[in-house]
Amino acid sequence: MASIVQVEGLRKVYEGKQRVVALDGIALGVREGELYGLLGPNGAGKTTAISICTTRVLPTSGAVRIAGIDVVESPALARRLMGIVPQYNTLDRACTIYENIHFHCLYFGFSRTDAKQRTNQLLEQFHLTERADSYPSQLSGGLAQRVQIARAIAHRPKVLFLDEPSAGLDPQSRIAMWDAVRGLREEGITVVLTTHYMEEADELCDRVAIIDHGKILVEDTPATLKGSVGAQKVYCLDLSDRDSPAALVGQLKLVHGVRGVEPTSGGIRVFADNADGLLPEIVRVSNPYGLRDLTMTETSLETVFIRLTGRDLRE
Amino acid sequence: MPTMESEIEIANSSTVQTGHGTAPAQGMQYTRAFAGLFLRDLHVLQREKIPFLIRIVMNPLLFLFVFTYIMPHMSGGAVLNPTAQMAGANFSTVLLPGLMAVAIMFSGIAAVALPLAQEFGITREIDDRVMCPLPVSAVAIEKIVFSALQSMIAAAIVFPLAYYVPATPVYAHVNNWPFFMVVLALASLTSGALGLVIGTSVKPQQIGLIFGTVVMPITFLGCVYYPWAKLDAMPWLQRGVLINPIVYMSEGLRAAVTPTLPHMNPIVILLMLTFFLVFLTVVGIKGFLRRVIG
């Protein structure tokens, strides 16, 4: 199936005192109707990529096509096909919630009657009718986010871009936002979102591209990505003896059920199957090396990222 | 026989093609987006009409009150009153076109430069306007055009004030209405373009400085309170102020509204206003693009 968002060889270099390569040749394709996630740490290039897709940043080289329209050659046309919810609140402060959506419809060529109808419908859909006459400054972060989503899809775009949609939201608002985003898919809108929360990507996305230092490391469904780690559990060992983990690495590798072992800054990380009796065995083997603490997690997209880069997403 | 899904597919793809294939459709799209932006600005302005009126009335009102009402009434006012120096005409008449020019220019700053500073600043509201389906330069042009509308209202307000406030009557008479309208439109658009240049070239946190460094000097040296011809005693100054677009606004209005006063050649005025309009618009749009497109 043809991609609705087609990104080819995208590079963005910021020249200046310090030359920054924000994007180093990324390529990806988003299929129609898909919920697609760009996952990566802060500064990985996610926002730059989405800003280029939404015509607000010009690429150094490469191309982006939205439903076949080149965003650099025909930005005004491309904008009709996309909605955007940026990281920060760009609601029109001088207008009410109703007016924000209503004027957005007018910008996109709706007649006054159609704009009125569409605005009322969206206010209802996003449970905003009661707040129709409020001004953006009177809204909480979660509500403002919802208004931004409603406004972004008001002109019935084919693709919606969400840049870090849950940044700054409390857990409850985040879950409400997830529901709203899933609802969009039912309307047939393709969604592309960036996030540095792996649960968000895992929970929401059909496919995920993991991006780091301006490059795409891997792109697949969350299930396949997690499967690629080849382990179900990750044990992080905190050791007081930091000089001799090499011997321990060798020993741990021999333990039944262990799939991989790698040293970290404060100890050792063990990738393993869900084997019985593994935990006491790991503890027994590593005790002589000054085991201070042990954390155990299920394999997640975070594990995938760690496997690919050797770093935590938060580092 | 095609399935229902494939029919929908075909219907969709055909609307997409007619939607952004042809040039007239594209022109229509831009026009409607432009009209939408203009309507939004109009809507916000009419809701804030009282602050708007206060903004445009206070400056000419106070100026006229102090210089053409209080001063002539003061004891020894003849010495203080610049009227005495204005050969053949009274100061109220000199002030009328000047205050219209100031009103036009202040509106350009207040309607474009100040809001832009905010929109580029913390709120980044500008991104909302920039995502409209029309070329980004058209968003900037809409700002100029809307600011011009406010400038014209501000200039029109000066007329009744100049009629009622001064102690001495104002001799205003528009001989040539088309000339007046052209000057008014050019001056208003030019001030919007000036506002765009200022708003896009100054850091949001430094916008306050603009009044001291740009607005005040170009107003006081803009032949607002004196006709340009009267600067002949100081040739260096008379030539120096020619780089100031406000000079052509006040001289143009002087030629149109108070033709009995000395003023520049109307042809020169129109040419220079057109030149400044084009120049400031180009610089302003470039600045705008630089600020919104990374």
Side-chain angles (χ1 to χ4, degrees):
Chain A
M1 192 163 71
S3 299
I4 187 147
V5 180
Q6 186 73 49
V7 177
E8 283 159 15
L10 205 57
R11 268 175 67 80
K12 178 68 184 178
V13 182
Y14 290 100
E15 300 289 352
K17 272 186 215 149
Q18 219 178 354
R19 190 168 178 272
V20 179
V21 182
L23 285 180
D24 197 4
I26 70 165
L28 51 88
V30 180
R31 297 170 197 146
E32 194 153 6
E34 195 169 40
L35 230 161
Y36 189 93
L38 275 174
L39 175 68
N42 289 328
K46 306 182 300 277
T47 296
T48 306
I50 234 173
S51 299
I52 293 175
C53 290
T54 54
T55 74
R56 290 169 306 150
V57 170
L58 293 173
T60 307
S61 63
V64 178
R65 276 180 215 90
I66 310 281
I69 305 278
D70 188 304
V71 299
V72 176
E73 277 169 26
S74 323
L77 290 180
R79 277 181 222 130
R80 254 183 37 174
L81 303 171
M82 60 171 92
I84 164 90
V85 179
Q87 262 180 56
Y88 34 81
N89 180 343
T90 63
L91 293 174
D92 191 337
R93 308 293 198 278
C95 290
T96 63
I97 303 314
Y98 179 92
E99 289 162 354
N100 260 282
I101 301 175
H102 183 77
F103 282 117
H104 182 92
C105 292
L106 294 184
Y107 301 158
F108 282 84
F110 283 50
S111 71
R112 276 170 176 262
T113 328
D114 290 348
K116 195 175 164 192
Q117 203 181 351
R118 178 71 172 151
T119 307
N120 285 324
Q121 183 232 319
L122 283 167
L123 288 174
E124 197 155 320
Q125 182 182 341
F126 285 85
H127 311 293
L128 292 163
T129 310
E130 283 168 27
R131 310 306 295 266
D133 295 326
S134 307
Y135 284 85
S137 55
Q138 300 167 314
L139 299 185
S140 68
L143 270 178
Q145 176 78 290
R146 238 191 288 164
V147 179
Q148 294 218 84
I149 296 177
R151 184 181 64 171
I153 63 160
H155 59 287
R156 300 193 176 88
K158 286 180 169 290
V159 187
L160 176 67
F161 290 93
L162 296 158
D163 195 6
E164 296 280 356
S166 55
L169 292 192
D170 57 88
Q172 209 179 350
S173 306
R174 187 181 300 172
I175 288 167
M177 188 270 299
W178 287 356
D179 286 341
V181 170
R182 281 198 201 94
L184 297 179
R185 194 190 10 203
E186 278 152 32
E187 288 181 38
I189 299 175
T190 308
V191 179
V192 178
L193 62 85
T194 72
T195 182
H196 62 274
Y197 298 107
M198 53 268 149
E199 324 88 74
E200 185 162 85
D202 199 351
E203 181 78 21
L204 272 181
C205 299
D206 299 318
R207 281 196 308 144
V208 171
I210 295 185
I211 179 168
D212 189 37
H213 295 312
K215 283 188 171 139
I216 289 188
L217 304 176
V218 65
E219 181 199 40
D220 218 318
T221 62
T224 314
L225 288 177
K226 284 187 285 184
S228 70
V229 176
Q232 279 93 46
K233 286 225 161 64
V234 184
Y235 297 85
C236 281
L237 312 184
D238 185 5
L239 303 172
S240 55
D241 180 0
R242 296 194 176 173
D243 300 326
S244 57
L248 178 59
V249 168
Q251 271 182 278
L252 282 168
K253 274 185 181 160
L254 299 174
V255 175
H256 176 70
V258 169
R259 292 296 183 135
V261 184
E262 59 186 36
T264 61
S265 55
I268 279 178
R269 197 180 282 126
V270 180
F271 300 95
D273 291 338
N274 271 331
D276 282 343
L278 191 56
L279 177 62
E281 186 61 13
I282 288 176
V283 172
R284 190 188 64 76
V285 172
S286 44
N287 229 356
Y289 295 88
L291 180 65
R292 289 197 305 200
D293 196 7
L294 183 152
T295 50
M296 189 175 74
T297 47
E298 297 285 320
T299 304
S300 66
L301 288 177
E302 171 121 36
T303 325
V304 179
F305 186 79
I306 292 168
R307 251 296 158 83
L308 291 167
T309 65
R311 289 181 297 126
D312 252 310
L313 261 172
R314 282 175 289 269
E315 272 168 29
Chain B
M1 190 180 128
T3 64
M4 199 151 126
E5 270 170 26
S6 66
E7 269 175 346
I8 293 169
E9 196 66 49
I10 292 163
N12 277 344
S13 62
S14 68
T15 47
V16 166
Q17 262 148 28
T18 49
H20 42 68
T22 56
Q26 197 171 319
M28 188 55 143
Q29 174 188 329
Y30 295 172
T31 312
R32 299 194 80 150
F34 193 90
L37 288 168
F38 200 84
L39 277 174
R40 178 261 169 208
D41 284 345
L42 210 55
H43 183 79
V44 171
L45 183 67
Q46 68 86 25
R47 183 158 52 210
E48 289 166 4
K49 46 185 173 295
I50 301 296
F52 171 65
L53 276 177
I54 294 172
R55 191 179 88 204
I56 61 175
V57 164
M58 284 319 274
N59 183 59
L61 177 67
L62 286 172
F63 237 99
L64 287 166
F65 185 61
V66 171
F67 287 98
T68 69
Y69 185 83
I70 298 182
M71 284 204 176
H73 281 95
M74 283 167 117
S75 52
V79 184
L80 288 169
N81 191 352
T83 308
Q85 278 89 55
M86 286 298 155
N90 73 51
F91 191 50
S92 321
T93 310
V94 173
L95 265 187
L96 172 64
L99 288 179
M100 288 172 76
V102 171
I104 287 172
M105 189 205 51
F106 272 23
S107 275
I109 308 279
V112 185
L114 300 184
L116 267 185
Q118 190 195 345
E119 287 169 17
F120 283 138
I122 321 157
T123 73
R124 287 301 297 178
E125 273 170 81
I126 198 73
D127 279 15
D128 158 44
R129 260 35 73 73
V130 166
M131 284 310 289
C132 288
L134 77 172
V136 175
S137 53
V139 177
I141 289 173
E142 190 274 337
K143 290 201 171 282
I144 296 179
V145 174
F146 189 72
S147 147
L149 176 77
Q150 295 187 46
S151 288
M152 288 189 207
I153 299 172
I157 288 280
V158 179
F159 270 112
L161 293 176
Y163 185 78
Y164 288 110
V165 178
T168 50
V170 170
Y171 300 104
H173 184 73
V174 178
N175 289 330
N176 187 342
W177 276 96
F179 176 71
F180 171 66
M181 294 314 288
V182 171
V183 165
L184 187 63
L186 280 176
S188 300
L189 290 167
T190 305
S191 92
L194 179 67
L196 187 69
V197 172
I198 292 173
T200 55
S201 56
V202 177
K203 283 191 191 134
Q205 55 274 35
Q206 288 170 348
I207 195 77
L209 262 180
I210 276 304
F211 280 89
T213 54
V214 179
V215 178
M216 289 329 234
I218 62 173
T219 310
F220 279 90
L221 299 175
C223 299
V224 167
Y225 311 115
Y226 42 84
W228 180 74
K230 296 281 172 188
L231 291 175
D232 54 359
M234 296 152 282
W236 59 274
L237 186 62
Q238 196 174 31
R239 271 187 224 115
V241 298
L242 290 177
I243 56 163
N244 181 356
I246 312 303
V247 168
Y248 306 98
M249 296 184 194
S250 29
E251 284 291 305
L253 290 163
R254 206 158 272 141
V257 181
T258 56
T260 50
L261 291 179
H263 56 76
M264 281 182 185
N265 181 338
I267 305 286
V268 175
I269 293 168
L270 291 182
L271 283 176
M272 288 310 285
L273 278 177
T274 311
F275 163 76
F276 275 110
L277 174 59
V278 172
F279 174 72
L280 293 171
T281 304
V282 169
V283 174
I285 287 177
K286 277 198 178 143
F288 190 76
L289 290 173
R290 197 180 55 239
R291 290 294 283 271
V292 296
I293 305 288

